[in-house]
Coordinates of all heavy atoms in Angstrom, one line a residue:
M216 N 112.6 0.5 -1.5 CA 111.7 -0.5 -2.0 C 110.2 -0.1 -1.6 O 110.0 0.4 -0.5 CB 111.9 -1.9 -1.4 CG 111.1 -3.0 -1.9 SD 111.6 -4.6 -1.3 CE 110.1 -5.4 -1.2
K217 N 109.3 -0.3 -2.5 CA 107.9 0.1 -2.2 C 107.1 -1.1 -1.9 O 107.3 -2.2 -2.4 CB 107.3 0.8 -3.5 CG 108.1 1.9 -4.1 CD 107.9 3.1 -3.2 CE 108.6 4.3 -3.9 NZ 108.7 5.4 -3.0
W218 N 106.1 -0.9 -1.0 CA 105.1 -1.9 -0.7 C 103.8 -1.3 -0.4 O 103.7 -0.2 -0.1 CB 105.7 -2.9 0.4 CG 105.9 -2.3 1.7 CD1 104.9 -2.1 2.7 CD2 107.1 -1.8 2.2 NE1 105.5 -1.5 3.8 CE2 106.8 -1.3 3.5 CE3 108.4 -1.6 1.8 CZ2 107.8 -0.7 4.4 CZ3 109.4 -1.1 2.5 CH2 109.1 -0.6 3.8
I219 N 102.8 -2.1 -0.4 CA 101.4 -1.7 -0.2 C 101.1 -1.9 1.2 O 101.3 -3.0 1.8 CB 100.4 -2.5 -1.1 CG1 100.8 -2.2 -2.6 CG2 99.0 -2.1 -0.8 CD1 100.0 -3.0 -3.6
V220 N 100.5 -0.9 1.9 CA 100.2 -1.0 3.3 C 98.7 -1.2 3.4 O 98.2 -1.8 4.4 CB 100.7 0.2 4.1 CG1 102.2 0.2 4.2 CG2 100.1 1.5 3.6
E221 N 97.8 -0.7 2.5 CA 96.4 -1.0 2.6 C 95.7 -0.8 1.2 O 96.2 0.0 0.4 CB 95.7 -0.2 3.7 CG 95.6 1.3 3.4 CD 94.8 2.0 4.5 OE1 93.6 1.8 4.7 OE2 95.5 2.9 5.1
I222 N 94.6 -1.4 1.1 CA 93.7 -1.2 -0.1 C 92.7 -0.1 0.3 O 92.1 -0.2 1.3 CB 92.9 -2.4 -0.5 CG1 93.9 -3.5 -0.9 CG2 91.9 -2.2 -1.5 CD1 93.3 -4.9 -1.2
I223 N 92.7 1.0 -0.5 CA 91.8 2.1 -0.3 C 90.4 1.8 -1.0 O 89.4 2.1 -0.4 CB 92.4 3.4 -0.8 CG1 93.7 3.7 -0.1 CG2 91.4 4.6 -0.6 CD1 93.7 3.8 1.4
N224 N 90.5 1.3 -2.2 CA 89.3 1.1 -3.1 C 89.6 0.0 -4.0 O 90.8 -0.2 -4.5 CB 88.9 2.3 -3.8 CG 87.5 2.2 -4.5 OD1 86.6 1.7 -3.9 ND2 87.5 2.6 -5.7
K225 N 88.6 -0.8 -4.4 CA 88.8 -1.8 -5.4 C 87.5 -1.8 -6.3 O 86.4 -1.6 -5.9 CB 89.0 -3.2 -4.8 CG 88.1 -3.7 -3.8 CD 88.6 -4.9 -3.2 CE 87.7 -5.3 -1.9 NZ 88.1 -6.6 -1.3
E226 N 87.8 -1.9 -7.6 CA 86.8 -2.1 -8.6 C 87.3 -3.1 -9.6 O 88.5 -3.4 -9.5 CB 86.4 -0.8 -9.2 CG 87.6 0.0 -9.8 CD 87.2 1.4 -10.3 OE1 87.2 2.3 -9.4 OE2 86.9 1.5 -11.5
P227 N 86.6 -3.6 -10.5 CA 87.1 -4.6 -11.4 C 88.4 -4.1 -12.1 O 88.4 -3.1 -12.8 CB 85.9 -4.8 -12.4 CG 84.7 -4.5 -11.6 CD 85.1 -3.4 -10.7
Y228 N 89.4 -4.9 -11.9 CA 90.8 -4.7 -12.4 C 91.5 -3.5 -12.0 O 92.6 -3.3 -12.4 CB 90.7 -4.8 -14.0 CG 89.7 -5.9 -14.5 CD1 88.6 -5.7 -15.2 CD2 90.0 -7.2 -14.1 CE1 87.8 -6.7 -15.5 CE2 89.2 -8.3 -14.5 CZ 88.1 -8.0 -15.2 OH 87.2 -9.0 -15.6
K229 N 91.0 -2.7 -11.1 CA 91.7 -1.5 -10.6 C 91.6 -1.5 -9.1 O 90.5 -1.7 -8.5 CB 91.0 -0.2 -11.1 CG 91.2 0.0 -12.6 CD 90.7 1.3 -13.0 CE 90.8 1.5 -14.6 NZ 90.3 2.8 -15.0
I230 N 92.8 -1.3 -8.5 CA 92.9 -1.3 -7.0 C 93.6 0.0 -6.6 O 94.8 0.2 -7.1 CB 93.6 -2.5 -6.5 CG1 92.9 -3.8 -7.0 CG2 93.6 -2.5 -5.0 CD1 93.7 -5.0 -6.8
T231 N 93.0 0.8 -5.8 CA 93.7 2.0 -5.3 C 94.3 1.6 -4.0 O 93.6 1.1 -3.1 CB 92.7 3.1 -5.1 OG1 92.1 3.4 -6.3 CG2 93.4 4.4 -4.6
C232 N 95.6 1.9 -3.9 CA 96.4 1.4 -2.7 C 97.2 2.6 -2.0 O 97.5 3.5 -2.7 CB 97.5 0.4 -3.2 SG 96.8 -1.0 -4.1
K233 N 97.4 2.4 -0.8 CA 98.2 3.3 0.0 C 99.6 2.6 0.1 O 99.6 1.4 0.5 CB 97.7 3.6 1.4 CG 98.6 4.5 2.1 CD 97.9 5.0 3.5 CE 98.8 5.9 4.2 NZ 98.2 6.2 5.5
W234 N 100.6 3.3 -0.3 CA 102.0 2.7 -0.3 C 102.8 3.1 0.9 O 102.4 4.0 1.6 CB 102.7 3.1 -1.6 CG 102.0 2.6 -2.8 CD1 100.9 3.1 -3.4 CD2 102.4 1.4 -3.5 NE1 100.6 2.3 -4.5 CE2 101.4 1.3 -4.6 CE3 103.4 0.5 -3.4 CZ2 101.5 0.2 -5.5 CZ3 103.4 -0.6 -4.3 CH2 102.5 -0.7 -5.3
N235 N 103.8 2.5 1.2 CA 104.6 2.7 2.4 C 105.2 4.2 2.4 O 105.6 4.6 3.5 CB 105.7 1.7 2.5 CG 106.8 1.8 1.4 OD1 106.4 1.8 0.3 ND2 108.1 1.8 1.8
D236 N 105.3 4.8 1.3 CA 105.7 6.2 1.2 C 104.5 7.2 1.4 O 104.7 8.4 1.1 CB 106.5 6.5 0.0 CG 105.7 6.3 -1.3 OD1 104.5 6.0 -1.2 OD2 106.3 6.4 -2.4
N237 N 103.4 6.7 1.8 CA 102.1 7.4 2.0 C 101.5 7.9 0.7 O 100.5 8.7 0.7 CB 102.3 8.6 3.0 CG 102.4 8.1 4.4 OD1 101.7 7.1 4.8 ND2 103.3 8.7 5.2
H238 N 102.0 7.6 -0.5 CA 101.4 7.9 -1.7 C 100.2 7.0 -1.9 O 100.2 5.8 -1.6 CB 102.3 7.8 -2.9 CG 103.3 8.9 -3.0 ND1 104.6 8.8 -2.5 CD2 103.2 10.2 -3.5 CE1 105.2 9.9 -2.8 NE2 104.4 10.8 -3.3
I239 N 99.2 7.5 -2.6 CA 98.0 6.7 -2.9 C 97.9 6.7 -4.5 O 97.8 7.7 -5.1 CB 96.7 7.3 -2.3 CG1 96.8 7.2 -0.8 CG2 95.5 6.6 -2.9 CD1 95.6 7.9 -0.1
N240 N 98.1 5.4 -5.0 CA 98.1 5.2 -6.4 C 97.1 4.1 -6.8 O 96.8 3.2 -6.0 CB 99.5 4.8 -6.9 CG 100.5 5.8 -6.7 OD1 100.3 7.0 -6.4 ND2 101.8 5.4 -6.8
T241 N 96.6 4.2 -8.0 CA 95.7 3.1 -8.5 C 96.5 2.2 -9.4 O 97.2 2.7 -10.3 CB 94.5 3.8 -9.2 OG1 93.8 4.5 -8.4 CG2 93.5 2.7 -9.8
V242 N 96.3 0.9 -9.2 CA 97.0 -0.1 -10.0 C 95.9 -0.7 -11.0 O 94.9 -1.2 -10.5 CB 97.5 -1.2 -9.2 CG1 98.3 -2.3 -10.1 CG2 98.5 -0.7 -8.1
D243 N 96.2 -0.5 -12.3 CA 95.2 -1.0 -13.3 C 95.8 -2.3 -13.8 O 96.8 -2.3 -14.5 CB 95.1 0.0 -14.4 CG 94.0 -0.4 -15.5 OD1 93.6 -1.6 -15.5 OD2 93.7 0.5 -16.2
L244 N 95.2 -3.4 -13.4 CA 95.7 -4.8 -13.8 C 95.0 -5.3 -15.0 O 95.3 -6.5 -15.3 CB 95.5 -5.7 -12.6 CG 96.4 -5.3 -11.4 CD1 96.0 -6.1 -10.1 CD2 97.8 -5.7 -11.7
Y245 N 94.2 -4.6 -15.6 CA 93.4 -5.2 -16.8 C 94.3 -5.8 -17.8 O 94.1 -6.9 -18.2 CB 92.4 -4.2 -17.4 CG 91.6 -4.8 -18.5 CD1 90.6 -5.7 -18.1 CD2 91.8 -4.5 -19.8 CE1 89.8 -6.3 -19.1 CE2 91.1 -5.1 -20.8 CZ 90.1 -6.0 -20.4 OH 89.3 -6.6 -21.4
S246 N 95.3 -5.0 -18.4 CA 96.2 -5.6 -19.4 C 97.0 -6.7 -18.9 O 97.2 -7.7 -19.6 CB 97.1 -4.4 -19.8 OG 96.4 -3.4 -20.5
F247 N 97.5 -6.7 -17.7 CA 98.2 -7.7 -17.1 C 97.4 -9.0 -17.1 O 97.9 -10.1 -17.5 CB 98.7 -7.4 -15.7 CG 99.4 -8.4 -14.9 CD1 100.8 -8.6 -15.1 CD2 98.7 -9.2 -14.0 CE1 101.4 -9.6 -14.3 CE2 99.4 -10.2 -13.3 CZ 100.7 -10.4 -13.4
I248 N 96.2 -8.9 -16.6 CA 95.3 -10.1 -16.4 C 94.9 -10.6 -17.8 O 94.9 -11.8 -18.0 CB 94.1 -9.8 -15.6 CG1 94.6 -9.6 -14.1 CG2 93.1 -11.0 -15.6 CD1 93.5 -8.9 -13.2
L249 N 94.6 -9.7 -18.7 CA 94.2 -10.1 -20.1 C 95.3 -10.9 -20.7 O 95.1 -11.9 -21.4 CB 93.8 -8.9 -20.9 CG 93.0 -9.1 -22.1 CD1 91.7 -9.7 -21.8 CD2 92.8 -7.8 -22.9
E250 N 96.5 -10.4 -20.6 CA 97.7 -11.1 -21.2 C 97.9 -12.5 -20.6 O 98.1 -13.5 -21.2 CB 99.0 -10.3 -21.0 CG 100.2 -10.8 -21.6 CD 100.1 -11.0 -23.1 OE1 99.5 -10.2 -23.8 OE2 100.8 -11.9 -23.6
K251 N 97.8 -12.6 -19.2 CA 98.0 -13.8 -18.5 C 96.9 -14.8 -18.8 O 97.1 -16.0 -18.9 CB 98.1 -13.6 -17.0 CG 99.3 -12.7 -16.6 CD 100.6 -13.4 -16.8 CE 101.8 -12.6 -16.3 NZ 103.0 -13.2 -16.6
S252 N 95.7 -14.3 -19.1 CA 94.5 -15.2 -19.2 C 94.5 -15.8 -20.7 O 93.7 -16.7 -20.9 CB 93.2 -14.4 -19.0 OG 93.0 -13.4 -20.0
K253 N 95.5 -15.4 -21.5 CA 95.6 -16.1 -22.8 C 95.9 -17.6 -22.6 O 95.6 -18.4 -23.5 CB 96.6 -15.4 -23.7 CG 96.1 -14.0 -24.2 CD 97.2 -13.4 -25.0 CE 96.7 -12.0 -25.4 NZ 97.8 -11.3 -26.2
N254 N 96.6 -17.9 -21.6 CA 97.0 -19.2 -21.2 C 96.0 -19.6 -20.0 O 96.3 -19.2 -18.9 CB 98.4 -19.3 -20.8 CG 98.9 -20.7 -20.3 OD1 98.0 -21.6 -20.1 ND2 100.1 -20.8 -20.0
K255 N 95.1 -20.5 -20.3 CA 94.1 -20.8 -19.3 C 94.7 -21.6 -18.1 O 94.2 -21.7 -17.0 CB 93.0 -21.7 -19.9 CG 92.2 -21.0 -21.0 CD 91.5 -19.7 -20.4 CE 90.8 -19.0 -21.5 NZ 90.4 -17.7 -21.2
D256 N 95.9 -22.1 -18.3 CA 96.6 -22.8 -17.2 C 97.4 -21.8 -16.3 O 97.9 -22.2 -15.3 CB 97.6 -23.8 -17.7 CG 96.9 -25.0 -18.4 OD1 95.7 -25.3 -18.0 OD2 97.5 -25.6 -19.4
N257 N 97.5 -20.6 -16.7 CA 98.2 -19.6 -15.9 C 97.3 -19.3 -14.6 O 96.1 -19.0 -14.8 CB 98.4 -18.3 -16.7 CG 99.3 -17.3 -16.0 OD1 98.9 -16.8 -15.0 ND2 100.4 -17.1 -16.5
S258 N 98.0 -19.2 -13.5 CA 97.2 -18.9 -12.2 C 96.5 -17.6 -12.3 O 95.4 -17.5 -11.7 CB 98.2 -19.0 -11.0 OG 98.8 -20.2 -10.9
Y259 N 97.0 -16.6 -12.9 CA 96.4 -15.3 -13.0 C 95.1 -15.3 -13.8 O 94.3 -14.3 -13.8 CB 97.4 -14.3 -13.4 CG 98.5 -14.1 -12.5 CD1 99.8 -14.6 -12.8 CD2 98.3 -13.3 -11.3 CE1 100.8 -14.4 -11.9 CE2 99.4 -13.1 -10.4 CZ 100.6 -13.7 -10.7 OH 101.6 -13.5 -9.9
S260 N 94.9 -16.3 -14.7 CA 93.8 -16.3 -15.6 C 92.4 -16.3 -14.8 O 91.4 -15.8 -15.3 CB 93.8 -17.5 -16.6 OG 93.7 -18.7 -15.9
Q261 N 92.4 -16.8 -13.6 CA 91.2 -16.8 -12.8 C 90.8 -15.4 -12.4 O 89.6 -15.2 -12.1 CB 91.5 -17.6 -11.5 CG 92.5 -17.0 -10.5 CD 92.9 -17.9 -9.4 OE1 92.1 -18.0 -8.5 NE2 94.0 -18.5 -9.5
L262 N 91.7 -14.4 -12.5 CA 91.3 -13.1 -12.1 C 90.5 -12.3 -13.1 O 90.1 -11.2 -12.9 CB 92.6 -12.3 -11.7 CG 93.4 -12.9 -10.6 CD1 94.6 -12.0 -10.3 CD2 92.6 -13.1 -9.4
I263 N 90.4 -13.0 -14.4 CA 89.5 -12.3 -15.4 C 88.1 -12.2 -14.9 O 87.3 -11.4 -15.3 CB 89.7 -13.0 -16.8 CG1 89.2 -12.1 -17.9 CG2 89.0 -14.3 -16.8 CD1 90.2 -10.9 -18.2
N264 N 87.7 -13.2 -14.0 CA 86.4 -13.2 -13.4 C 86.3 -12.1 -12.4 O 87.1 -12.0 -11.4 CB 86.2 -14.6 -12.7 CG 84.9 -14.7 -12.0 OD1 84.6 -13.9 -11.1 ND2 84.0 -15.6 -12.4
K265 N 85.4 -11.1 -12.6 CA 85.3 -9.9 -11.8 C 85.1 -10.2 -10.3 O 85.7 -9.6 -9.4 CB 84.3 -9.0 -12.3 CG 84.6 -8.3 -13.6 CD 83.5 -7.5 -14.1 CE 83.8 -6.9 -15.5 NZ 82.8 -6.1 -16.0
D266 N 84.2 -11.2 -10.0 CA 84.0 -11.6 -8.7 C 85.2 -12.1 -8.0 O 85.5 -11.8 -6.8 CB 82.9 -12.6 -8.6 CG 81.5 -12.0 -9.0 OD1 81.3 -10.8 -8.8 OD2 80.7 -12.8 -9.4
R267 N 86.0 -12.9 -8.7 CA 87.2 -13.4 -8.1 C 88.2 -12.3 -7.9 O 88.9 -12.2 -6.9 CB 87.8 -14.5 -9.0 CG 89.1 -15.1 -8.6 CD 89.0 -15.8 -7.2 NE 90.2 -16.5 -6.9 CZ 90.8 -16.5 -5.7 NH1 90.2 -16.0 -4.7 NH2 91.9 -17.2 -5.5
F268 N 88.3 -11.4 -8.9 CA 89.3 -10.3 -8.8 C 89.0 -9.5 -7.5 O 89.9 -9.1 -6.8 CB 89.2 -9.4 -10.1 CG 90.2 -8.3 -10.0 CD1 91.4 -8.4 -10.4 CD2 89.8 -7.1 -9.5 CE1 92.4 -7.4 -10.3 CE2 90.7 -6.0 -9.4 CZ 92.0 -6.2 -9.8
L269 N 87.8 -9.2 -7.2 CA 87.3 -8.4 -6.1 C 87.6 -9.0 -4.8 O 87.4 -8.3 -3.8 CB 85.9 -7.9 -6.3 CG 85.7 -6.9 -7.5 CD1 84.2 -6.7 -7.7 CD2 86.5 -5.6 -7.3
Q270 N 88.0 -10.3 -4.7 CA 88.4 -10.9 -3.5 C 89.8 -10.6 -3.1 O 90.3 -11.1 -2.1 CB 88.2 -12.4 -3.6 CG 86.8 -12.9 -3.9 CD 86.7 -14.4 -4.2 OE1 87.7 -15.1 -4.1 NE2 85.5 -14.8 -4.5
V271 N 90.4 -9.6 -3.7 CA 91.8 -9.2 -3.4 C 91.9 -8.8 -2.0 O 91.0 -8.2 -1.4 CB 92.3 -8.1 -4.4 CG1 91.4 -6.9 -4.3 CG2 93.8 -7.9 -4.3
K272 N 93.1 -9.0 -1.4 CA 93.4 -8.6 0.0 C 94.8 -8.0 -0.1 O 95.6 -8.2 -1.0 CB 93.3 -9.8 0.9 CG 91.9 -10.3 1.0 CD 91.8 -11.5 2.0 CE 90.4 -12.0 2.1 NZ 90.2 -13.0 3.1
C273 N 95.2 -7.4 1.0 CA 96.5 -6.9 1.2 C 97.0 -7.5 2.5 O 96.4 -7.5 3.5 CB 96.4 -5.3 1.4 SG 98.0 -4.6 1.7
D274 N 98.3 -7.9 2.4 CA 98.9 -8.5 3.6 C 99.9 -7.6 4.3 O 100.7 -8.0 5.1 CB 99.6 -9.8 3.3 CG 100.8 -9.7 2.3 OD1 101.1 -8.5 1.9 OD2 101.4 -10.7 1.9
G275 N 99.9 -6.3 3.9 CA 100.8 -5.3 4.5 C 102.0 -5.1 3.6 O 102.9 -4.2 3.9
S276 N 102.1 -5.8 2.5 CA 103.3 -5.7 1.6 C 102.9 -5.7 0.1 O 103.4 -5.1 -0.7 CB 104.4 -6.6 1.9 OG 104.0 -7.9 1.7
T277 N 101.8 -6.6 -0.2 CA 101.4 -6.7 -1.5 C 99.9 -7.1 -1.6 O 99.3 -7.3 -0.6 CB 102.3 -7.7 -2.3 OG1 102.1 -7.5 -3.7 CG2 102.1 -9.1 -1.9
L278 N 99.5 -7.3 -2.8 CA 98.1 -7.7 -3.0 C 98.1 -9.2 -3.2 O 99.1 -9.8 -3.8 CB 97.5 -7.1 -4.3 CG 97.5 -5.6 -4.3 CD1 97.0 -5.0 -5.6 CD2 96.6 -5.0 -3.1
Y279 N 97.1 -9.9 -2.8 CA 97.0 -11.3 -2.9 C 95.5 -11.8 -3.0 O 94.6 -11.1 -2.6 CB 97.8 -12.0 -1.9 CG 97.1 -12.1 -0.5 CD1 96.3 -13.2 -0.1 CD2 97.2 -11.0 0.3 CE1 95.7 -13.2 1.1 CE2 96.5 -11.0 1.6 CZ 95.8 -12.2 1.9 OH 95.2 -12.2 3.2
W280 N 95.4 -13.0 -3.5 CA 94.1 -13.7 -3.6 C 94.2 -15.0 -2.9 O 95.1 -15.8 -3.3 CB 93.6 -13.9 -5.0 CG 93.3 -12.6 -5.7 CD1 92.0 -12.1 -5.9 CD2 94.2 -11.6 -6.3 NE1 92.1 -10.9 -6.5 CE2 93.4 -10.6 -6.8 CE3 95.6 -11.6 -6.4 CZ2 94.0 -9.5 -7.4 CZ3 96.2 -10.5 -7.1 CH2 95.4 -9.5 -7.6
E281 N 93.4 -15.3 -1.9 CA 93.5 -16.5 -1.1 C 93.2 -17.7 -2.0 O 92.4 -17.6 -2.9 CB 92.5 -16.5 0.0 CG 92.9 -15.6 1.2 CD 92.0 -15.7 2.4 OE1 90.8 -16.2 2.2 OE2 92.3 -15.1 3.4
N282 N 93.9 -18.8 -1.8 CA 93.8 -20.1 -2.5 C 93.9 -19.9 -4.0 O 93.2 -20.6 -4.8 CB 92.4 -20.7 -2.1 CG 92.3 -21.0 -0.6 OD1 93.3 -21.3 0.0 ND2 91.2 -20.7 0.0
G283 N 94.8 -19.0 -4.5 CA 94.9 -18.8 -5.9 C 95.9 -19.8 -6.6 O 95.9 -19.9 -7.8
I284 N 96.7 -20.5 -5.8 CA 97.6 -21.4 -6.4 C 97.6 -22.7 -5.6 O 97.0 -22.7 -4.5 CB 99.1 -20.9 -6.4 CG1 99.6 -20.6 -5.0 CG2 99.2 -19.6 -7.2 CD1 101.0 -20.3 -4.9
K285 N 98.2 -23.7 -6.1 CA 98.4 -25.0 -5.4 C 99.9 -25.2 -5.4 O 100.6 -25.0 -6.4 CB 97.7 -26.1 -6.0 CG 96.2 -26.0 -5.9 CD 95.5 -27.2 -6.5 CE 94.0 -26.9 -6.3 NZ 93.2 -27.9 -6.9
Y286 N 100.5 -25.6 -4.3 CA 101.9 -25.9 -4.2 C 102.1 -27.1 -3.4 O 101.2 -27.6 -2.6 CB 102.6 -24.7 -3.5 CG 102.4 -24.5 -2.1 CD1 103.2 -25.1 -1.1 CD2 101.2 -23.8 -1.6 CE1 103.0 -24.9 0.2 CE2 101.0 -23.7 -0.3 CZ 101.9 -24.2 0.7 OH 101.6 -24.1 2.0
Q287 N 103.3 -27.7 -3.6 CA 103.7 -28.9 -2.9 C 104.5 -28.5 -1.7 O 105.6 -27.9 -1.9 CB 104.3 -29.9 -3.8 CG 104.6 -31.2 -3.2 CD 105.2 -32.2 -4.2 OE1 105.3 -31.9 -5.4 NE2 105.4 -33.4 -3.8
D288 N 104.1 -28.9 -0.4 CA 105.0 -28.5 0.7 C 106.1 -29.5 0.8 O 106.3 -30.4 0.0 CB 104.1 -28.4 1.9 CG 103.6 -29.7 2.5 OD1 104.0 -30.8 2.0 OD2 102.9 -29.7 3.5
I289 N 106.9 -29.3 1.9 CA 108.1 -30.1 2.1 C 107.8 -31.6 2.2 O 108.6 -32.5 2.0 CB 108.9 -29.5 3.2 CG1 110.3 -30.1 3.2 CG2 108.2 -29.7 4.6 CD1 111.3 -29.3 4.1
D290 N 106.6 -31.9 2.7 CA 106.2 -33.3 2.9 C 105.5 -33.9 1.7 O 105.1 -35.0 1.8 CB 105.2 -33.4 4.1 CG 105.9 -32.9 5.4 OD1 107.1 -33.3 5.6 OD2 105.2 -32.3 6.2
G291 N 105.5 -33.1 0.6 CA 104.9 -33.6 -0.6 C 103.4 -33.5 -0.7 O 102.8 -34.0 -1.7
I292 N 102.8 -32.8 0.2 CA 101.4 -32.6 0.2 C 101.0 -31.3 -0.6 O 101.6 -30.3 -0.4 CB 100.9 -32.4 1.7 CG1 101.2 -33.6 2.5 CG2 99.4 -32.1 1.7 CD1 101.0 -33.5 4.0
I293 N 100.0 -31.5 -1.5 CA 99.6 -30.4 -2.3 C 98.6 -29.5 -1.5 O 97.7 -30.1 -0.9 CB 98.8 -30.9 -3.6 CG1 99.7 -31.8 -4.4 CG2 98.3 -29.7 -4.4 CD1 100.9 -31.1 -5.0
K294 N 98.9 -28.3 -1.3 CA 98.1 -27.3 -0.6 C 97.7 -26.1 -1.4 O 98.4 -25.7 -2.3 CB 98.9 -26.9 0.7 CG 99.2 -28.0 1.6 CD 100.0 -27.5 2.9 CE 100.2 -28.6 3.9 NZ 100.8 -28.0 5.1
P295 N 96.7 -25.5 -1.0 CA 96.3 -24.1 -1.6 C 97.2 -23.1 -1.0 O 97.6 -23.1 0.2 CB 94.8 -23.9 -1.2 CG 94.7 -24.7 0.0 CD 95.6 -25.9 0.0
G296 N 97.5 -22.1 -1.8 CA 98.3 -21.0 -1.3 C 97.8 -19.7 -1.9 O 97.0 -19.7 -2.9
P297 N 98.3 -18.5 -1.5 CA 98.0 -17.2 -2.0 C 98.6 -17.0 -3.4 O 99.7 -17.3 -3.6 CB 98.4 -16.3 -0.9 CG 99.6 -16.9 -0.3 CD 99.3 -18.4 -0.3
L298 N 97.8 -16.4 -4.2 CA 98.3 -15.9 -5.5 C 98.6 -14.4 -5.3 O 97.8 -13.6 -4.9 CB 97.3 -16.0 -6.6 CG 97.5 -15.4 -7.9 CD1 98.7 -16.1 -8.6 CD2 96.3 -15.5 -8.9
D299 N 99.9 -14.0 -5.5 CA 100.2 -12.6 -5.3 C 101.0 -12.1 -6.5 O 101.3 -12.7 -7.4 CB 101.0 -12.4 -4.0 CG 102.3 -13.1 -4.0 OD1 102.8 -13.6 -5.0 OD2 102.9 -13.2 -2.9
I300 N 101.3 -10.7 -6.5 CA 102.0 -10.1 -7.5 C 103.1 -9.2 -6.7 O 102.8 -8.6 -5.7 CB 101.1 -9.2 -8.3 CG1 100.0 -10.0 -9.0 CG2 102.0 -8.4 -9.4 CD1 99.0 -9.1 -9.7
A301 N 104.3 -9.3 -7.2 CA 105.4 -8.5 -6.5 C 105.0 -7.1 -6.4 O 104.6 -6.4 -7.4 CB 106.7 -8.7 -7.4
P302 N 105.2 -6.5 -5.2 CA 104.8 -5.0 -5.0 C 105.6 -4.1 -6.0 O 105.1 -3.1 -6.4 CB 105.2 -4.8 -3.6 CG 106.1 -5.9 -3.2 CD 105.8 -7.1 -4.0
E303 N 106.8 -4.5 -6.4 CA 107.6 -3.6 -7.3 C 106.9 -3.5 -8.6 O 106.8 -2.4 -9.3 CB 109.0 -4.1 -7.5 CG 109.9 -4.2 -6.2 CD 109.6 -5.5 -5.4 OE1 108.9 -6.4 -5.9 OE2 110.3 -5.7 -4.4
L304 N 106.4 -4.7 -9.1 CA 105.7 -4.7 -10.4 C 104.4 -3.9 -10.3 O 104.0 -3.1 -11.2 CB 105.4 -6.1 -10.8 CG 104.7 -6.3 -12.1 CD1 105.4 -5.7 -13.3 CD2 104.4 -7.8 -12.4
L305 N 103.7 -4.0 -9.2 CA 102.4 -3.3 -9.0 C 102.7 -1.8 -8.9 O 101.9 -1.0 -9.5 CB 101.8 -3.7 -7.6 CG 101.2 -5.1 -7.6 CD1 100.9 -5.5 -6.2 CD2 100.0 -5.3 -8.6
Y306 N 103.8 -1.4 -8.3 CA 104.1 0.0 -8.3 C 104.4 0.6 -9.7 O 104.0 1.7 -10.0 CB 105.3 0.3 -7.4 CG 105.5 1.8 -7.1 CD1 104.7 2.4 -6.1 CD2 106.5 2.5 -7.7 CE1 104.8 3.8 -5.8 CE2 106.7 3.8 -7.4 CZ 105.8 4.5 -6.5 OH 106.0 5.8 -6.2
E307 N 105.1 -0.2 -10.5 CA 105.4 0.2 -11.8 C 104.2 0.4 -12.7 O 104.1 1.2 -13.6 CB 106.4 -0.8 -12.5 CG 107.8 -0.7 -12.0 CD 108.6 -1.8 -12.7 OE1 108.3 -2.4 -13.7 OE2 109.8 -2.1 -12.1
M308 N 103.2 -0.5 -12.4 CA 101.9 -0.4 -13.1 C 100.9 0.6 -12.6 O 99.9 0.8 -13.2 CB 101.2 -1.8 -13.1 CG 101.9 -2.9 -13.9 SD 101.0 -4.4 -14.1 CE 101.0 -5.0 -12.4
S309 N 101.2 1.2 -11.4 CA 100.3 2.1 -10.8 C 100.2 3.5 -11.5 O 101.1 3.9 -12.2 CB 100.6 2.3 -9.4 OG 101.8 3.0 -9.2
I310 N 99.0 4.0 -11.5 CA 98.7 5.3 -12.1 C 98.9 6.3 -10.9 O 98.3 6.3 -9.9 CB 97.3 5.4 -12.6 CG1 97.0 4.3 -13.6 CG2 97.0 6.7 -13.1 CD1 95.6 4.0 -13.9
K311 N 99.8 7.2 -11.2 CA 100.1 8.2 -10.1 C 99.2 9.4 -10.2 O 98.7 9.8 -11.2 CB 101.6 8.6 -10.2 CG 102.5 7.4 -9.9 CD 103.8 7.5 -10.6 CE 104.6 6.3 -10.2 NZ 104.6 5.2 -11.1

C-alpha cells in the first residue's frame, strides 16, 4: 500500500509528494476537481478555488483540507471535518 509522507511542493491543482517508498511524484488533481465541481453540492467543488486548494496539508498518509466537510458525530452534533482523498487514488493519478 502506498501513502504520502510529506508535501514537497504545491501549486494550483498539482501537488508534489514524497511517498512511503521514497518516490517523489506529482499528483495533478485538475481533472478530478473539475469533474467533481460539476455538482456544486460535492465537497470537492470547493477546491476549484485556487486559494482553498493551496491550503492542502499532509497527515502522514494522505492529503487533506481542514474543515472541508461537515459530519454528524455519535451524539448527533454537526461538526467540521477534514476533506481527504484516498492515497491509493492519489498514487494512481500521480505523474511519475
Side-chain angles (χ1 to χ4, degrees):
M216 185 171 151
K217 304 287 187 196
W218 63 85
I219 298 170
V220 294
E221 73 177 291
I222 294 172
I223 303 297
N224 186 48
K225 53 188 172 180
E226 56 188 84
Y228 316 118
K229 292 183 183 180
I230 305 166
T231 303
C232 306
K233 182 176 180 182
W234 296 81
N235 64 310
D236 60 4
N237 287 321
H238 284 100
I239 296 176
N240 299 344
T241 299
V242 181
D243 185 345
L244 291 167
Y245 184 72
S246 295
F247 176 83
I248 293 168
L249 197 60
E250 181 65 29
K251 298 293 184 184
S252 67
K253 289 178 182 177
N254 176 354
K255 298 300 178 197
D256 294 329
N257 187 296
S258 297
Y259 294 103
S260 67
Q261 65 189 285
L262 301 180
I263 200 75
N264 178 298
K265 291 178 184 179
D266 292 331
R267 177 63 172 140
F268 181 87
L269 292 172
Q270 293 173 8
V271 65
K272 296 182 179 185
C273 176
D274 64 3
S276 63
T277 195
L278 303 176
Y279 75 97
W280 291 262
E281 289 183 346
N282 303 320
I284 63 167
K285 292 183 180 174
Y286 70 97
Q287 187 171 359
D288 74 5
I289 196 165
D290 297 320
I292 300 169
I293 304 295
K294 295 183 175 182
L298 173 65
D299 63 10
I300 303 172
E303 300 87 358
L304 179 59
L305 292 169
Y306 192 78
E307 287 177 18
M308 290 191 292
S309 67
I310 302 165
K311 293 151 180 96

